[in-house]
Each structure stands twice: as structure tokens, then as C-alpha cells.
Amino acid sequence: MNVVDSMELLKKYANCAECGSDKLGNGEGTLDIADNVFNRTCKCGYSITIDKRIKVIASATKRVGRKTEGIYEVRIDDSLKHKYLPVNELKELTGIKRINQFKKVEEWLNTKEGRKWAIETPHVNDF
Ligand SMILES: [Zn+2]
């Protein structure tokens, strides 16, 4: 998770939403920021997880002449607006053979390189 997001979440969840405690460690509460998942727990039982990993929601393909074109519909961070990414490019980048290999695609999209690509690649409009 990048520093800006981490800081923002730390600030937002510094105090437990249930009991107001701002304590961490020594059994008072925990904080775990790994990859793009933020988790904060409190001794009162409160726990919050924010998952900002890229997720593949769906895929679609169609025939264009003799070729097959397709898109992966992905969610980036917690944005409500989904993005369509080109299947053929992702196949080359990830080495997948079949479009239903969502797990492999997600894994790659959540690498540093993949995340950059997913953010910079323009949304496929005509699908
Ligand atoms: Zn609490």
C-alpha cells in the first residue's frame, strides 16, 4: 500500500470506531498493512479491513473478423467505477492461455508492474 493511502487510513482508524481506544500492541490492538490490505483490530473486538487490491470482476469476449477480442472488468482500489482492460494484452503480459484464469491475472495485476499497467492502460470503451 502506498504511503498516502496508509497515512490516510491510519488517521481515519487511529481511534477504534467502537470504544475510541487509540492503543496498539500489548494485547490492546493490532495494525497490519500488507500489500494493499489494511487491517486494524482493537481489544474490544472491533476489526476493520480495507482491501485495495485489484480484483477481476468479469470477463467478456467477442469475435472480430477472425480474431477474438476481450476485456477483463476490474476494480481498482475501492473505486466504484470498474475498468475494462484488454484481454489480448493481458494474455501476453501474464502468459495465461485461457481467459478464465482470473487468479493468475489478479496476481499479476497486484504486482508493482501490473498495478502500474492497470492504472495507466486506458479503459476499453467499445465493449
Ligand atoms: Zn475498541
Side-chain angles (χ1 to χ4, degrees):
M1 186 171 288
N2 69 46
V3 178
V4 175
D5 282 352
S6 298
M7 295 297 282
E8 200 179 289
L9 291 171
L10 276 171
K11 226 163 130 181
K12 191 167 174 188
Y13 299 106
N15 292 87
C16 171
E18 274 302 303
C19 70
S21 165
D22 64 353
K23 302 262 191 310
L24 290 172
N26 296 322
E28 299 271 351
T30 64
L31 178 68
D32 183 28
I33 303 172
D35 294 329
N36 278 292
V37 182
F38 174 99
N39 176 248
R40 190 237 196 274
T41 66
C42 181
K43 62 172 184 225
C44 75
Y46 177 80
S47 170
I48 181 139
T49 302
I50 314 276
D51 187 342
K52 286 184 174 268
R53 285 175 301 185
I54 296 173
K55 294 221 174 37
V56 177
I57 309 291
S59 68
T61 54
K62 66 180 178 188
R63 277 231 173 267
V64 181
R66 301 180 64 91
K67 278 175 42 188
T68 301
E69 281 182 10
I71 51 101
Y72 281 110
E73 181 177 346
V74 301
R75 197 190 62 166
I76 297 174
D77 297 341
D78 40 11
S79 166
L80 291 175
K81 210 171 150 250
H82 294 173
K83 190 169 185 179
Y84 292 174
L85 293 171
V87 162
N88 290 339
E89 273 181 60
L90 263 170
K91 270 187 169 170
E92 265 175 48
L93 288 161
T94 59
I96 60 157
K97 296 276 178 276
R98 294 188 318 276
I99 191 166
N100 62 1
Q101 291 176 285
F102 279 23
K103 271 253 164 343
K104 262 194 144 169
V105 173
E106 263 178 13
E107 251 171 49
W108 185 78
L109 287 172
N110 283 295
T111 62
K112 211 171 171 188
E113 181 195 6
R115 193 174 176 82
K116 187 168 182 279
W117 181 84
I119 289 165
E120 287 174 358
T121 299
H123 175 77
V124 179
N125 275 312
D126 57 341
F127 217 92

